[in-house]
Amino acid sequence: MDDGQVWDDFPFHGLVPKRETGAERFLSRYPQHDGTGVVIAIFDTGVDPGAPGLQKTPGGQPKFVDLIDATGSGDVDTSTVVRTEDCEEREIQGHTGRVLKIPDEWKNPTGEWHVGSKALFELVPTVVRTRLEDHYRKKTWDPVHTRLVKNAMEELSKFEKKCDTTSLDDKMELQDHQAKVDVLNALGSKVSLAGPVYDCVVFHDGTSWSGVVDTSESGDLGSCVLMKPFKESGQFHTFGDLDQMNYSLNIYENGNVLSIVTTGGSHGTHVASIAAAYFPEEPEKNGVAPGAQLLGVKIGDSRLNTMETARSLIRASIAAVDAKVDMVNFSYGEASHWTDSGAVLENFMELVEKHNVVFVSSAGNNGPALSTVGCPGGNTSSLIGVAAYVSPDMMAAEYSLPQKKPPQPYTWSSRGPSADGDTGVCITAPGGAVTSVPNWTLQRSQLMNGTSMSSPNACGCIALLLSALKTEGIAYSPAYIKRELQNAAKPLGPHDVFSAGYGVIQVDKTFEAIKDQSSDCSLANVQFKVSVPTMRARGIYLREPHQFQRPTCFSVVVSPHFSESSVPQEKLSFELRLALVSSESWLHTPQHLVMWNGSRQFIVEVNASSLEEGVHYAEVCAYRTSSTGSGPLFRVPVTVIVPNQLQSDRRFAVPSLHLSKGKVSRNFFHVPRGSTWAEIEVRNDSKDCKARITVHALQLLPETAFREHQAIEMFSLEPECSSSLIVPIEDNHTLEVCYTQYWSETKDALISTVTKFHSLFPSSLELNFHSSFCWTRLDVTSMFGHEELSPEFRLTHHVMPKRPKSHLLRPLGERDTLPCGNHIYELLLTYSFHVNRSAEIRPNVCLLSDMLYECPYGGQMWMLFDQNKQFLFAGDAYPSQYSKTLDKGEYVLKLQICSESKSKLESLKDMPILLEMKLSSSISLDVGSVRLDTFNAGSKVSKTTSPLKTVPLYISAANDDKVKNIHPGDMLAGKFSLARSDKVKKKVSYPLYYSIGPKSVRGSSNDPKKPSQLKSDEYEKALKDWKLRCLKWGVLELCDLEEKYADDVTFLLAQLKELESKPESKHADIKDLVSKILSKVDMKEILAHSGTKTDLCSQGSQHSEMDEMKSVLVEALLLEGAVICKSEEDLLSRLTEIYVDLHKLLEQKDEKLRSFQIDYAKAHKHYSLALKLLQEEVSLSPTKANEQKVIEFCRLNGWNHCAENKEKWLLRKYPVDYQLF
């Protein structure tokens, strides 16, 4: 080391960036305006109140005003009430069955204790569950289990050496030793730990509600933490030292619901820390607004892998109003089919426009193609959508890059404009940070990046601004804040408005601009809403050539909207004289506009005839003529995309493309008519440098989310190597193809690209085929060029439509009451279905699928349960994300749909759903090129198409044998592809639906008519059977039949059953009856009959009689055996005789024999053998009674660790009721 070397201080300012946004300058000038007096709601995965920096504000206030779980994933049903009759009785039975000891100091005047239970593994993220499982295995399970396995193997080895294989007793004991080894090995390799199951108790102490979670699992409630709702107490605690999972409590519905509030992931804590963390001893680690307080609202449902739901988002909005927050940060979002409408968005806009809440949201991480902004951040007028960029200081401090580069948007940051022409991105902010994460991560801090991080950075900046405005008494509205932020933003170098909005947020400049205008606050409460009615849009967005082939005029409507606090005089006196200024010469606008309290309309003309190929942006800005120095009051954004001209062979080549740092190169193509896919080839032309190139192709179709028509891939190309991307496309719509290096690359790239369009155009883009038609036709045309055609029609899923068997419509509780006082209602639909084999199942609520923010209903979610009410998995708006392999059995699906409108819910009470079950093997349909091919099984087509020539394809129905297990009315679903290339087949395919018609009815030959005497015999037998059934019904007594049927074996069996059912019955009496039955039955004859597979000379009635005799004999022996097993007498020798006889009469896998073998093994104290046999029965019949027997045998074997784990699983697998939504 050079002793003279100078070491700089670590660049802390790059960890939670504040310098780039002016926040550092602002705080140095106004240290008192550090966010104090501002409350920020964090709608996210939940926030850990124990994470570093999230305890107090600089003023000593608690950092959190409340912590809320809006998802319901932490809810515990505590509607079960147990009572203590007097003050001296301090024990109650918990929901798990444990006895709970209530401390003397707990006051409960009513004596009513609400009880429930919750499994820890339902409350913690997967990483915590895995850590707990690993720890338990290593410290508790493995040492005990390994020793047991070792001992069992040694015992088996010893016994094998001395075993007498001719002795039945020795053989049974050998089987028991072997079973012990087998069962222990199986338990060790397949063990699934249930984890702790906690009793929960809620009660009212005469003043307020209290709750406790029995984390001791012993019933000793005095050793646990008694907690009040977080809003009252600020209390939180951990479940245990190992998990480090902090939790708090809330109590709803008069004690009937306990909400255990945890975090579903680390995302929300990181977001909150960026916005407002406070480190009094390490101020360099502070969040942007350390003085702000927080409302933590969990909207990411743990049952859905922290996916947000409409119900949780509306609940969060209600909670924000109740807490009187000033701001919301929302670092979530999805692609939406349309903008500015839907139940969730309406609630968000109400927050902003009625309750004066500044709502900041991430723009999305779906770039670099245009129009990839998410919802709500990029698609909702009243919100502030934030893009993400990386600064040179961040590159050094967070990413340890060897050299700094100019600031640039992150590669993945979503770009505008929105589908309806709005800019989509308002501003940009630093999109990375190193800051606090939840304690359960066992890390103090972590690097995360995304627009999820730029949003809270901007939110913190705005909190500083609001802190200053509130302190200095300057009026504002969310619309005013948004307008001034955009006007004061600092442009991000050469990067366009689509990438960075109007630039990097500058909090100090925004504050100074607002202060300068504070003498005239007439516009502080006014929002200007811009619309283009003919396009049903918020801007002008021309993507297709026919939209701008000639100069086009558009009518623009501008409407002033006043905040809720505005008084009539403000509206009456409102009048503006505006100057309208176009930013580009190809956009023409009137020069002036007078506005009053009402909508105004003016015309803008777009003349794009002289524009070059590529994307062009312009805007009409409206300025006050009386205040020319201030920024525009509103803007009319205009985007025009002029496509590149294709060569005659439908190619577009870029022979040399230099991608410098941060550069995005975009090509646009108006897809030729009949095109079905594009092939994009990328070549690294460098001779010595590797290139990491992102290729993003996207089309935008009306009322269709961008995710439906995009392809994105990152290529890592060696020097002078190439790769290609296949992109399915829609013809006559503009396709964008953009190329960029990943933002962190240090060297420029030199590439060449070729985009070529292909055509195998089907006459239908979705094929629906009913089996009753036997065949159908599909025409395929190559609109240009020669293509290799090799069609495949493949069915992969069985689709079962199901109607609800019941419905329930009711109002929801206190958390679901809107600020205006209206109730939200739920429609609860219950569906039941049977799965006849193990298969992957995916439920699909078709009417509401793929809609979340834009959905007119305020929430949909389904939960799937087995026949024992055990929760298996859940899903919501996006069915493709939720599937699970289910075993054979009965299942129940409960679907909840929420809305403020009862009538809208009423219309859905019979709504069908689809259950998509993956086939064990796919079904291929035969396809031919001529109609006669439909008569030939196995026909295929493979040929080269000619330009503009149509090839007919004749698709044959599936063979009946392949669909024999599919019910009429069900469907099969799959896809069909046309190209020969496997690479194209994987990417370019179309939906295929195959409806099942009536099944074939094949006649069966019957035996010839029997003689009349046989009919009489049949009658007598039927009469006897009916009389014996009357015994069960209590219509007849045994004595009524004894005279006529005294020697009939079926009557004797009936006598035996009645005798066995009496508690006072003795084995001797039962044995006498069994002996009498045996004397009437010829065992050898039955065994001979059982061993005969086919007797062509025998009458059918003889077979029936012998089968009946065998059945009676087996049942008699089983009954006697059962009595012996329950008896305290030493009758093992007789039990062995029965055991031997039953083995002769029954197949080894017969359920009756297995059930007897279990009892027989238990009677001989062969507990391992009994357990092995019982586990086979459990796999076929998973009942609570059978699993309790498994626990019994584990304890009899001394395997307490296995018994304890299974007892916990018993609590989870057999709940009293269905889980709450």
Side-chain angles (χ1 to χ4, degrees):
M1 181 185 294
D2 183 357
D3 293 338
Q5 186 172 356
V6 178
W7 295 92
D8 293 327
D9 291 337
F10 188 89
F12 281 104
H13 56 271
L15 297 180
V16 182
K18 308 179 191 73
R19 187 172 293 176
E20 298 88 335
T21 61
E24 188 177 83
R25 295 189 299 272
F26 180 87
L27 284 169
S28 65
R29 186 173 179 184
Y30 307 107
Q32 72 277 22
H33 301 324
D34 60 355
T36 299
V38 176
V39 179
I40 305 171
I42 306 292
F43 292 0
D44 216 287
T45 60
V47 187
D48 182 1
L54 294 180
Q55 284 70 54
K56 297 286 184 180
T57 68
Q61 293 176 298
K63 179 60 71 174
F64 291 96
V65 297
D66 204 355
L67 291 173
I68 293 168
D69 180 356
T71 68
S73 59
D75 283 2
V76 183
D77 183 351
T78 51
S79 59
T80 300
V81 177
V82 295
R83 291 173 173 81
T84 48
E85 299 300 330
D86 55 65
C87 295
E88 295 179 3
E89 188 179 347
R90 306 302 289 178
E91 288 186 350
I92 59 174
Q93 185 175 38
H95 200 256
T96 64
R98 299 187 191 107
V99 174
L100 307 180
K101 299 174 184 176
I102 301 168
D104 292 339
E105 60 271 20
W106 291 7
K107 306 302 181 186
N108 182 355
T110 66
E112 295 182 347
W113 309 86
H114 293 253
V115 297
S117 60
K118 193 72 171 177
L120 175 63
F121 286 1
E122 294 175 1
L123 295 168
V124 300
T126 302
V127 62
V128 178
R129 185 174 72 244
T130 302
R131 185 168 74 235
L132 293 174
E133 287 176 333
D134 288 347
H135 181 269
Y136 180 81
R137 280 195 183 92
K138 291 174 183 176
K139 301 294 184 182
T140 305
W141 180 279
D142 286 349
V144 174
H145 206 78
T146 303
R147 175 175 52 80
L148 288 171
V149 172
K150 178 175 175 291
N151 292 345
M153 293 181 71
E154 288 174 353
E155 289 169 8
L156 172 62
S157 179
K158 287 179 183 177
F159 189 78
E160 282 178 329
K161 294 175 182 177
K162 65 177 183 178
C163 174
D164 179 4
T165 55
T166 62
S167 165
L168 179 59
D169 289 342
D170 276 17
K171 285 174 69 176
M172 290 290 295
E173 191 166 347
L174 178 63
Q175 288 179 19
D176 187 54
H177 283 295
Q178 183 63 57
K180 183 179 287 189
V181 173
D182 294 343
V183 173
L184 283 171
N185 282 331
L187 288 172
S189 62
K190 298 179 181 178
V191 63
S192 176
L193 299 178
V197 179
Y198 298 141
D199 274 297
C200 304
V201 180
V202 171
F203 66 96
H204 199 280
D205 63 10
T207 303
S208 60
W209 289 100
S210 299
V212 64
V213 179
D214 180 17
T215 52
S216 73
E217 290 190 278
S218 66
D220 180 13
L221 298 185
S223 66
C224 305
V225 180
L226 181 66
M227 301 168 74
K228 296 282 188 182
F230 185 86
K231 185 177 181 179
E232 296 177 29
S233 64
Q235 289 175 289
F236 64 90
H237 198 63
T238 58
F239 294 113
D241 290 338
L242 184 63
D243 56 73
Q244 287 297 308
M245 169 61 75
N246 287 313
Y247 72 95
S248 58
L249 301 182
N250 286 313
I251 299 166
Y252 304 106
E253 309 302 327
N254 291 318
N256 288 330
V257 176
L258 172 68
S259 175
I260 302 176
V261 184
T262 60
T263 52
S266 57
H267 189 271
T269 303
H270 197 270
V271 164
S273 300
I274 293 171
Y278 171 56
F279 294 86
E281 305 301 324
E282 301 173 280
E284 67 277 5
K285 295 169 67 175
N286 283 351
V288 180
Q293 288 183 286
L294 301 174
L295 168 68
V297 186
K298 180 180 177 181
I299 54 89
D301 198 308
S302 297
R303 296 165 294 191
L304 303 172
N305 197 26
T306 69
M307 179 73 186
E308 74 271 40
T309 65
R311 187 186 182 192
S312 69
L313 295 172
I314 293 174
R315 274 185 174 177
S317 301
I318 294 168
V321 174
D322 289 345
K324 296 181 172 56
V325 305
D326 301 286
M327 301 185 66
V328 168
N329 182 83
F330 191 64
S331 294
Y332 259 72
E334 309 295 334
S336 65
H337 296 295
W338 50 83
T339 63
D340 253 9
S341 71
V344 172
L345 297 186
E346 287 165 10
N347 275 270
F348 285 177
M349 288 188 280
E350 272 198 19
L351 267 179
V352 176
E353 296 170 10
K354 289 189 177 181
H355 301 284
N356 214 42
V357 174
V358 178
F359 201 122
V360 185
S361 182
S362 54
N365 303 325
N366 297 293
L370 299 182
S371 299
T372 49
V373 285
C375 186
N379 283 350
T380 313
S381 299
S382 303
L383 276 57
I384 298 172
V386 186
Y389 90 104
V390 56
S391 69
D393 286 344
M394 292 166 66
M395 296 175 193
E398 296 178 23
Y399 298 100
S400 303
L401 293 187
Q403 61 187 56
K404 293 183 179 181
K405 300 190 293 181
Q408 60 181 288
Y410 282 99
T411 311
W412 34 255
S413 183
S414 288
R415 267 64 169 185
S418 62
D420 68 345
D422 188 74
T423 54
V425 176
C426 300
I427 52 174
T428 194
V434 176
T435 189
S436 302
V437 286
N439 291 350
W440 53 257
T441 64
L442 307 185
Q443 296 176 255
R444 286 188 62 81
S445 60
Q446 191 174 326
L447 167 62
M448 293 187 190
N449 55 31
T451 56
S452 287
M453 282 65 245
S454 63
S455 179
N457 191 298
C459 188
C461 289
I462 299 169
L464 300 178
L465 179 61
L466 298 191
S467 180
L469 296 178
K470 292 175 79 171
T471 302
E472 300 196 11
I474 299 174
Y476 71 88
S477 67
Y480 184 44
I481 297 296
K482 178 178 178 178
R483 189 163 65 234
E484 294 305 317
L485 286 171
Q486 289 178 323
N487 290 339
K490 178 183 178 181
L492 186 61
H495 301 286
D496 56 30
V497 68
F498 308 124
S499 304
Y502 291 98
V504 181
I505 185 173
Q506 300 294 298
V507 62
D508 53 340
K509 292 181 180 179
T510 305
F511 179 59
E512 296 305 326
I514 292 175
K515 274 186 70 176
D516 291 345
Q517 300 172 44
S518 60
S519 58
D520 177 14
C521 58
S522 60
L523 298 180
N525 289 330
V526 182
Q527 176 184 11
F528 296 91
K529 291 193 174 182
V530 176
S531 64
V532 184
T534 55
M535 303 183 78
R536 289 169 37 183
R538 296 174 295 157
I540 299 171
Y541 190 10
L542 309 179
R543 277 185 72 99
E544 310 302 341
H546 71 270
Q547 295 175 309
F548 54 83
Q549 286 177 342
R550 60 183 62 86
T552 308
C553 292
F554 297 90
S555 174
V556 176
V557 176
V558 181
S559 305
H561 289 254
F562 293 83
S563 69
E564 289 284 306
S565 61
S566 298
V567 296
Q569 186 59 40
E570 286 184 65
K571 300 175 184 179
L572 181 64
S573 61
F574 176 78
E575 185 177 86
L576 293 175
R577 294 175 178 83
L578 302 176
L580 301 180
V581 180
S582 168
S583 63
E584 298 290 343
S585 60
W586 50 268
L587 178 63
H588 306 288
T589 180
Q591 292 185 336
H592 298 98
L593 179 71
V594 178
M595 286 208 70
W596 49 81
N597 182 22
S599 298
R600 290 303 320 271
Q601 179 175 313
F602 60 93
I603 302 296
V604 299
E605 182 186 63
V606 178
N607 185 354
S609 57
S610 61
L611 295 180
E612 297 179 351
E613 295 173 348
V615 58
H616 302 270
Y617 177 79
E619 57 187 19
V620 174
C621 295
Y623 299 89
R624 296 179 73 177
T625 55
S626 60
S627 180
T628 54
S630 59
L633 294 180
F634 65 82
R635 308 167 193 252
V636 182
V638 181
T639 304
V640 178
I641 290 176
V642 181
N644 298 88
Q645 292 297 312
L646 296 175
Q647 299 166 8
S648 58
D649 59 354
R650 276 78 177 177
R651 287 172 176 260
F652 184 83
V654 180
S656 180
L657 177 59
H658 180 255
L659 290 178
S660 57
K661 306 175 183 71
K663 177 183 176 182
V664 179
S665 177
R666 305 182 190 276
N667 296 134
F668 300 93
F669 310 105
H670 186 67
V671 175
R673 179 173 171 268
S675 298
T676 48
W677 80 89
E679 184 176 8
I680 302 166
E681 185 177 349
V682 184
R683 186 179 189 277
N684 179 10
D685 291 334
S686 170
K687 296 183 182 299
D688 51 12
C689 292
K690 196 173 182 177
R692 289 173 67 199
I693 306 297
T694 297
V695 181
H696 194 178
L698 183 142
Q699 286 184 292
L700 203 60
L701 273 64
E703 292 201 351
T704 306
F706 67 80
R707 65 170 178 265
E708 304 292 330
H709 296 281
Q710 72 165 347
I712 186 167
E713 193 160 329
M714 180 182 285
F715 295 107
S716 183
L717 299 174
E718 297 293 334
E720 298 185 315
C721 289
S722 63
S723 191
S724 63
L725 173 65
I726 302 297
V727 183
I729 52 178
E730 297 274 346
D731 66 346
N732 293 320
H733 290 278
T734 294
L735 170 71
E736 175 189 359
V737 181
C738 65
Y739 310 91
T740 186
Q741 284 200 99
Y742 198 69
W743 70 267
S744 58
E745 291 297 308
T746 56
K747 295 183 178 179
D748 293 354
L750 182 64
I751 64 171
S752 55
T753 73
V754 176
T755 303
K756 182 181 180 182
F757 292 91
H758 297 262
S759 172
L760 280 175
F761 194 80
S763 54
S764 175
L765 298 178
E766 178 181 296
L767 189 60
N768 290 278
F769 181 11
H770 198 285
S771 64
S772 298
F773 286 110
C774 299
W775 65 275
T776 191
R777 172 173 167 163
L778 181 77
D779 291 339
V780 179
T781 307
S782 175
M783 302 302 291
F784 44 83
H786 298 275
E787 300 290 353
E788 299 298 320
L789 175 67
S790 181
E792 283 187 8
F793 293 76
R794 192 174 296 279
L795 301 166
T796 55
H797 287 78
H798 174 195
V799 181
M800 299 175 285
K802 295 291 177 183
R803 292 274 186 184
K805 69 175 186 180
S806 66
H807 73 276
L808 177 64
L809 180 58
R810 61 187 176 188
L812 290 167
E814 58 192 88
R815 288 179 286 180
D816 301 285
T817 302
L818 295 167
C820 62
N822 291 349
H823 287 285
I824 295 175
Y825 293 84
E826 73 164 350
L827 176 64
L828 194 60
L829 301 176
T830 302
Y831 305 81
S832 59
F833 63 97
H834 175 77
V835 175
N836 56 17
R837 61 173 178 83
S838 178
E840 182 184 322
I841 299 288
R842 177 182 292 112
N844 187 350
V845 186
C846 297
L847 180 66
L848 306 176
S849 286
D850 295 318
M851 293 191 296
L852 199 162
Y853 295 92
E854 68 270 43
C855 183
Y857 289 89
Q860 59 149 314
M861 181 176 172
W862 52 260
M863 293 197 287
L864 198 142
F865 305 87
D866 67 14
Q867 60 189 353
N868 301 310
K869 300 180 182 177
Q870 182 190 4
F871 169 71
L872 299 177
F873 74 121
D876 73 334
Y878 302 105
S880 61
Q881 297 182 19
Y882 308 105
S883 65
K884 188 178 181 70
T885 299
L886 301 181
D887 293 327
K888 180 180 178 180
E890 301 293 330
Y891 295 92
V892 172
L893 184 143
K894 288 188 172 288
L895 168 65
Q896 182 197 57
I897 308 168
C898 300
S899 176
E900 191 179 345
S901 168
K902 283 179 69 176
S903 59
K904 285 170 67 173
L905 293 174
E906 281 278 2
S907 67
L908 302 183
K909 65 183 181 182
D910 294 313
M911 183 177 67
I913 63 168
L914 297 181
L915 297 172
E916 301 172 8
M917 181 168 68
K918 191 172 183 180
L919 297 174
S920 54
S921 58
S922 61
I923 299 172
S924 292
L925 301 181
D926 293 339
V927 56
S929 57
V930 294
R931 172 75 183 277
L932 289 176
D933 285 341
T934 60
F935 298 97
N936 301 320
S939 56
K940 294 180 181 293
V941 173
S942 181
K943 60 170 62 180
T944 301
T945 63
S946 299
L948 297 176
K949 295 292 185 181
T950 296
V951 178
L953 301 178
Y954 294 91
I955 303 98
S956 300
N959 188 291
D960 282 352
D961 291 338
K962 293 183 178 180
V963 296
K964 61 185 178 182
N965 295 322
I966 312 297
H967 297 294
D970 288 1
M971 290 188 298
L972 294 173
K975 293 183 177 181
F976 70 91
S977 59
L978 301 171
R980 180 176 296 168
S981 163
D982 289 337
K983 190 172 183 179
V984 178
K985 280 182 187 294
K986 289 178 182 177
K987 296 287 187 179
V988 187
S989 59
Y990 307 91
L992 170 63
Y993 299 102
Y994 183 83
S995 300
I996 304 298
K999 293 297 182 78
S1000 61
V1001 180
R1002 297 185 177 94
S1004 58
S1005 59
N1006 294 317
D1007 292 335
K1009 295 264 183 192
K1010 297 179 181 178
S1012 58
Q1013 180 61 44
L1014 290 179
K1015 287 186 177 179
S1016 175
D1017 290 347
E1018 287 180 346
Y1019 169 77
E1020 287 296 331
K1021 183 179 182 307
L1023 181 61
K1024 180 190 71 174
D1025 291 343
W1026 179 80
K1027 287 180 178 180
L1028 290 173
R1029 281 197 295 272
C1030 287
L1031 293 174
K1032 297 179 184 177
W1033 305 333
V1035 178
L1036 294 174
E1037 300 289 339
L1038 280 171
C1039 57
D1040 298 329
L1041 306 179
E1042 191 166 5
E1043 182 178 350
K1044 186 170 183 178
Y1045 300 116
D1047 293 330
D1048 186 277
V1049 290
T1050 53
F1051 174 73
L1052 292 173
L1053 181 62
Q1055 282 185 303
L1056 181 62
K1057 288 180 178 178
E1058 182 173 280
L1059 183 61
E1060 188 269 342
S1061 66
K1062 294 178 179 178
E1064 68 276 10
S1065 62
K1066 296 181 179 178
H1067 173 254
D1069 300 329
I1070 288 173
K1071 185 178 180 183
D1072 288 343
L1073 265 177
V1074 173
S1075 298
K1076 194 171 182 181
I1077 291 172
L1078 288 171
S1079 69
K1080 304 289 183 185
V1081 176
D1082 189 333
M1083 172 77 85
K1084 291 182 180 179
E1085 190 177 354
I1086 289 175
L1087 293 174
H1089 165 73
S1090 299
T1092 303
K1093 302 302 181 187
T1094 306
D1095 186 353
L1096 299 177
C1097 300
S1098 174
Q1099 292 289 334
S1101 60
Q1102 292 176 344
H1103 277 288
S1104 177
E1105 184 179 344
M1106 295 302 293
D1107 289 339
E1108 184 180 52
M1109 288 291 190
K1110 176 182 175 181
S1111 178
V1112 168
L1113 179 57
V1114 167
E1115 202 159 349
L1117 291 171
L1118 288 171
L1119 280 170
E1120 184 184 2
V1123 169
I1124 292 174
C1125 289
K1126 295 175 187 174
S1127 172
E1128 296 180 2
E1129 302 177 55
D1130 185 7
L1131 300 167
L1132 292 182
S1133 59
R1134 173 57 187 156
L1135 194 62
T1136 300
E1137 292 172 7
I1138 295 172
Y1139 177 81
V1140 172
D1141 286 343
L1142 286 173
H1143 270 75
K1144 294 176 182 177
L1145 292 164
L1146 297 173
E1147 295 286 344
Q1148 188 64 32
K1149 293 184 179 180
D1150 194 294
E1151 290 182 25
K1152 293 178 181 177
L1153 179 60
R1154 182 170 56 245
S1155 187
F1156 175 78
Q1157 286 175 315
I1158 293 168
D1159 291 339
Y1160 180 79
K1162 181 181 179 183
H1164 284 77
K1165 298 185 179 180
H1166 295 152
Y1167 302 131
S1168 299
L1169 178 58
L1171 182 53
K1172 183 177 181 179
L1173 293 165
L1174 184 58
Q1175 285 187 319
E1176 293 175 12
E1177 191 158 321
V1178 168
S1179 66
L1180 297 171
S1181 177
T1183 64
K1184 188 173 184 178
N1186 278 339
E1187 301 220 38
Q1188 285 172 328
K1189 289 180 184 176
V1190 170
I1191 294 169
E1192 177 192 356
F1193 285 125
C1194 285
R1195 293 219 179 269
L1196 288 170
N1197 269 319
W1199 305 344
N1200 291 327
H1201 67 302
C1202 298
E1204 288 167 5
N1205 184 50
K1206 289 185 177 294
E1207 281 173 341
K1208 290 176 181 178
W1209 267 120
L1210 209 62
L1211 295 170
R1212 295 184 63 180
K1213 292 170 73 173
Y1214 299 93
V1216 176
D1217 207 346
Y1218 294 106
Q1219 190 176 124
L1220 297 176
F1221 275 94

